[in-house]
Amino acid sequence: MTIAADPSNKETILVVEDDILVRMPIAHYLRDCGYKVIEAANADEATTVLLHQETRIDIVFSDIEMPGSIDGFGLAKWVRDHRPGLDVILAGTVSRAVDAAKDLCDEGPVPKPYESQVVYDRIRRLLAARNRAT
Amino acid sequence: MGTAAGPVHAAGKARDVRTILVVEDEVLVRLMVAEQLRSADFHVVEAANADEALAVLRYTTDVALIVTDIRMPGSMDGLQLAKTVRSAFPQIRIVLTSGNLLKFSSVNHDAFVPKPYEPDKIIGLIRTLLN
C-alpha cells in the first residue's frame, strides 16, 4: 500500500468515530481548520492506520463508545502501549467532541472564525433527521 | 446546510466543488483513494460500508458520484448498494471497484475500475462521468 506523502506538511488528526453523521462533519470541520484528517470507523481501523508506518499521525481524536474489538478507552491504552507520546483526545459525547474539535481549531495553522455551537448544531440536526427516519 | 426538517449539504463543501462518496471497508485503501481525489480538488465523503453510504445519501444532497467496492461486509455489498442507489438516487453516477474481475450487469453502474487503482485513470474517469 502506497499512500502519497502530504507535501503541505499539515498536522494530521486521526478521527475515530463509528457514527458517520458525526464523523463526517467533525472531519470536514477539522479539514477546514487546516488539518489533514484521516477517518476511521472504529478502533480496529484506527490501529490498522496507526500500524501503517508510512502514515503520519499527530493526534488521535476518538469517540469512547464504539462497536468492535476495543472501545475508545481500549484504543487509548493501545496507543499508549504501541505509540507512546502520541496524544489521544477522547470525546464521550457529541458536544464534547465538538468542543475538542473547536479547541484543536483554535490552535490550528489556519484558524477560522468557527463557533463550536455551529458545528454542534449541524451534527444535532443530522442526528435529529436520522432519528426521525428510524 | 438545510433546515432541521430537510436534507442537508455535506459540511465544509464549497459550492462549486463536486462531491464524491467513497465506499470502501479497507481503511488504508479508502484513505488512499480519498486523498487522491481530494488532491484532484474533489470534495470527498468517506463511508466504511453500504449502511454508512446510505446514511450519508439520505441526509446530504450534494453527492454527484459514488465509488464503491463490491465485496464489503454489512447488510449489503457494493452491487446491492449500486442497485439501491440507482433506484433511489438515479442522478448519482456509480463507479464499481474490485480486486476480482467479476461478471455483473451494467444496469446499476456507470463504470468499473479494477484494483489496484491507478490514480490518474480513476480521476480521469470520474471527470469524464461528471461532465
Side-chain angles (χ1 to χ4, degrees), chain A residues 8-36:
Chain A
S8 65
N9 203 31
K10 294 177 180 175
E11 285 190 291
T12 302
I13 301 176
L14 175 60
V15 173
V16 192
E17 167 63 60
D18 63 301
D19 190 329
I20 180 69
L21 296 185
V22 175
R23 188 175 76 238
M24 178 175 66
I26 289 283
H28 293 168
Y29 173 67
L30 291 172
R31 286 190 187 102
D32 282 350
C33 293
Y35 292 101
K36 178 177 178 181

Side-chain angles (χ1 to χ4, degrees), chain A residues 23 28 45 122 132-133, chain B residues 1 4 11 30 38 52 59:
Chain A
R23 188 175 76 238
H28 293 168
E45 285 197 352
R122 180 180 293 167
R132 277 196 299 275
Chain B
M1 204 68 181
R30 190 173 72 237
R38 287 190 185 103
E52 285 198 351
Y59 302 112

Side-chain angles (χ1 to χ4, degrees), chain B residues 33-81:
Chain B
V33 175
E35 286 305 306
Q36 288 166 345
L37 293 176
R38 287 190 185 103
S39 296
D41 294 328
F42 290 109
H43 180 259
V44 180
V45 177
E46 301 179 38
N49 52 51
D51 296 316
E52 285 198 351
L54 291 174
V56 170
L57 292 173
R58 289 190 189 107
Y59 302 112
T60 66
T61 58
D62 300 325
V63 176
L65 184 146
I66 295 176
V67 178
T68 180
D69 190 20
I70 291 178
R71 293 190 177 181
M72 293 185 295
S75 65
M76 60 176 70
D77 63 12
L79 294 177
Q80 293 169 303
L81 174 64

Side-chain angles (χ1 to χ4, degrees), chain B residues 21 54 57 63-68 76-96 104-112 129-130:
Chain B
L21 175 59
L54 291 174
L57 292 173
V63 176
L65 184 146
I66 295 176
V67 178
T68 180
M76 60 176 70
D77 63 12
L79 294 177
Q80 293 169 303
L81 174 64
K83 184 177 181 181
T84 302
V85 171
R86 177 97 330 155
S87 173
F89 310 96
Q91 77 281 8
I92 296 177
R93 299 294 188 184
I94 301 170
V95 176
L96 296 175
F104 44 80
S105 165
S106 63
V107 172
N108 294 317
H109 69 287
D110 297 290
F112 173 80
L129 288 173
L130 292 180

